[in-house]
Amino acid sequence: MEQVKLGIVGLGRLGRNHAANINYKILNAELTAVCSAIPEEVDAVMKEMKPSYGSTDYMDLFKDRDLDGIVIASNSAFHSQMVIDAANAGVKNIYCEKPLGMTLEEIELMKTAVETNGVNIFQIGYNRRFDKSLQMMKKKIDEGFIGKPILIKLANRDPVWDRENLIKFSPTSGGLVFDMLTHDYDVARWLIGSDAQTVYGIGGAYGYEGLEAVGDIDNCMLTVAFDNGVMGFLETSRNSTHGYHVEVEVFGTEGSVRMGTVPNRDRVVSYNKNGVTTECVQWFYEFWEPTFEAELQHFADCIQSNTKPVADFMDGYKAVQWAFAAKEAVDKRQIVTMK
Ligand SMILES: NC(=O)c1ccc[n+]([C@@H]2O[C@H](COP(=O)([O-])OP(=O)(O)OC[C@H]3O[C@@H](n4cnc5c(N)ncnc54)[C@H](O)[C@@H]3O)[C@@H](O)[C@H]2O)c1
């Protein structure tokens, strides 16, 4: 196949960017069909990017046998139904945004649908695996540069949110642990090549009045014991006053590798009577922008060459399983053992 024909469901905050990446940047892919429940979003993308057709009914795309793959970028609560409907309708190549599903029951149903319908390529949207710095860290770890890995530390901090927006967003996101930390857990298990054995955590609502009332928190820290003996420390926050900030360090018997110590927006350093400053990245998309193109490039390449993606269905499944254990650990302040 010369050009990979892709259809996308969801044209919101992230889906619109995915559509643009497919349309403008991924040379071996073609944005063929677009879908959103919001007609204005479909109209806007049809006008600007001119795919073959647009629809507000995702089944139009799932039944279209001319499409080589479907990108699902809808709200997390709809992933399970859409993946199940796509698999049942005969879609063979699916990219799905993270998290895979919102409940353990959902991910089981998805697994059955994907397996029984013979879905060929299933990629989950863990875009951080496509970050060049993290890829370099993984290469060095795999080559033995740090010796035997002892500890992995991850910080994942959102800039300060508008309080009302956060309270509105929180119930649909699965809450802080679920929304923020599945990315970090995926990065950790990919970098050190091991699943979690136990998880313990504490957290609370420190900065946003009313957040606790909707069952959420804004800061937490977790300790994770991995099967291979590596100790994990994961912390996350919605209160980073300087901007969006992600740090990763893997420390071993012979050295360490780390990234993201200063969340520079660019290479400018400014000096005046108040001191020395650098501007910070303010939002996740800015920080991870190249990875969003790279992950969809990978999806198109996997379809073209019929190869397994680097982040697949079981990676998504394991991250959701872990997130439930981690949430239970924080809620009960107990060590939870992974089943
Ligand atoms: N990888 C990352 O770093 C990252 C970052 C942000 C969001 N996400 C994920 O991306 C997904 C989308 O997030 P978002 O912020 O773009 O959401 P959003 O609310 O901005 O957009 C959601 C889109 O889904 C569409 N949609 C919902 N139900 C539909 C239906 N039945 N039929 C057709 N379209 C439907 C909406 O019309 C909208 O276009 C979420 O799962 C989120 O977790 C991932």
Side-chain angles (χ1 to χ4, degrees):
M1 134 204 354
E2 264 179 34
Q3 284 292 99
V4 179
K5 291 195 176 107
L6 297 178
I8 182 166
V9 180
L11 297 169
R13 191 174 60 143
L14 194 58
R16 174 73 177 63
N17 283 303
H18 281 332
N21 280 331
I22 296 166
N23 194 55
Y24 299 118
K25 297 188 177 166
I26 299 172
L27 299 181
N28 58 339
E30 187 182 298
L31 183 70
T32 306
V34 297
C35 171
S36 166
I38 303 165
E40 294 77 21
E41 288 183 353
V42 177
D43 292 345
V45 176
M46 286 297 294
K47 205 166 152 200
E48 184 198 320
M49 301 180 204
K50 304 188 172 43
S52 301
Y53 66 95
S55 174
T56 51
D57 181 355
Y58 63 78
M59 286 309 293
D60 288 343
L61 279 65
F62 295 174
K63 286 184 199 151
D64 182 348
R65 292 285 76 86
D66 282 341
L67 292 176
D68 300 307
I70 293 285
V71 172
I72 295 176
S74 60
N75 314 73
S76 306
F78 303 117
H79 293 176
S80 64
Q81 195 55 56
M82 288 184 183
V83 166
I84 291 167
D85 286 346
N88 287 341
V91 175
K92 292 293 173 233
N93 302 312
I94 302 172
Y95 166 98
C96 179
E97 260 312 325
K98 53 57 61 179
L100 184 63
M102 298 295 279
T103 65
L104 295 171
E105 293 72 30
E106 270 182 17
I107 60 169
E108 286 303 333
L109 292 171
M110 293 166 92
K111 189 164 178 283
T112 305
V114 164
E115 284 171 0
T116 54
N117 287 294
V119 171
N120 185 32
I121 288 157
F122 191 104
Q123 186 176 333
I124 183 77
Y126 283 123
N127 56 300
R128 297 183 188 184
R129 293 191 184 208
F130 296 88
D131 180 75
K132 286 202 170 4
S133 304
L134 289 173
Q135 285 176 344
M136 180 53 79
M137 282 173 69
K138 179 160 174 55
K139 185 167 178 285
K140 284 185 175 259
I141 295 164
D142 291 349
E143 287 170 358
F145 180 85
I146 66 163
K148 187 177 170 192
I150 298 170
L151 174 74
I152 180 159
K153 279 203 298 185
L154 296 102
N156 188 5
R157 299 182 188 158
D158 255 4
V160 177
W161 279 63
D162 171 74
R163 192 184 75 88
E164 279 180 19
N165 269 348
L166 180 58
I167 287 168
K168 205 165 109 196
F169 168 74
S170 167
T172 61
S173 73
L176 183 80
V177 173
F178 201 82
D179 184 49
M180 297 280 282
L181 287 168
T182 55
H183 270 300
D184 300 87
Y185 177 62
D186 181 70
V187 166
R189 63 183 285 275
W190 171 65
L191 283 179
I192 63 163
S194 180
D195 290 324
Q197 205 171 70
T198 62
V199 53
Y200 170 72
I202 53 174
Y206 293 80
Y208 300 89
E209 214 188 310
L211 192 60
E212 234 170 339
V214 294
D216 204 357
I217 55 176
D218 51 34
N219 281 268
C220 83
M221 50 186 264
L222 299 162
T223 52
V224 182
F226 286 90
D227 281 334
N228 65 356
V230 172
M231 298 180 280
F233 176 76
L234 281 63
E235 54 114 327
T236 196
S237 174
R238 304 264 198 213
N239 296 86
S240 177
T241 52
H242 60 279
Y244 180 78
H245 193 162
V246 166
E247 277 192 50
V248 183
E249 179 181 17
V250 187
F251 177 77
T253 53
E254 306 288 333
S256 70
V257 280
R258 60 196 299 178
M259 63 83 87
T261 48
V262 181
N264 289 323
R265 195 188 60 191
D266 46 45
R267 288 187 284 189
V268 178
V269 183
S270 309
Y271 308 78
N272 74 1
K273 63 182 172 15
N274 296 320
V276 182
T277 51
T278 58
E279 296 295 324
C280 290
V281 173
Q282 290 302 314
W283 194 227
F284 76 92
Y285 199 82
E286 222 184 333
F287 190 87
W288 299 109
E289 188 167 357
T291 67
F292 292 108
E293 178 188 342
E295 64 176 350
L296 288 178
Q297 178 67 67
H298 183 66
F299 183 53
D301 293 345
C302 285
I303 294 174
Q304 219 166 31
S305 58
N306 196 21
T307 45
K308 192 175 170 307
V310 303
D312 66 10
F313 185 89
M314 284 314 289
D315 294 313
Y317 181 96
K318 288 191 173 186
V320 172
Q321 265 190 330
W322 175 84
F324 276 94
K327 191 170 175 336
E328 187 186 340
V330 174
D331 289 347
K332 296 185 180 162
R333 296 205 169 188
Q334 277 176 6
I335 298 174
V336 175
T337 302
M338 297 290 300
K339 289 173 191 93

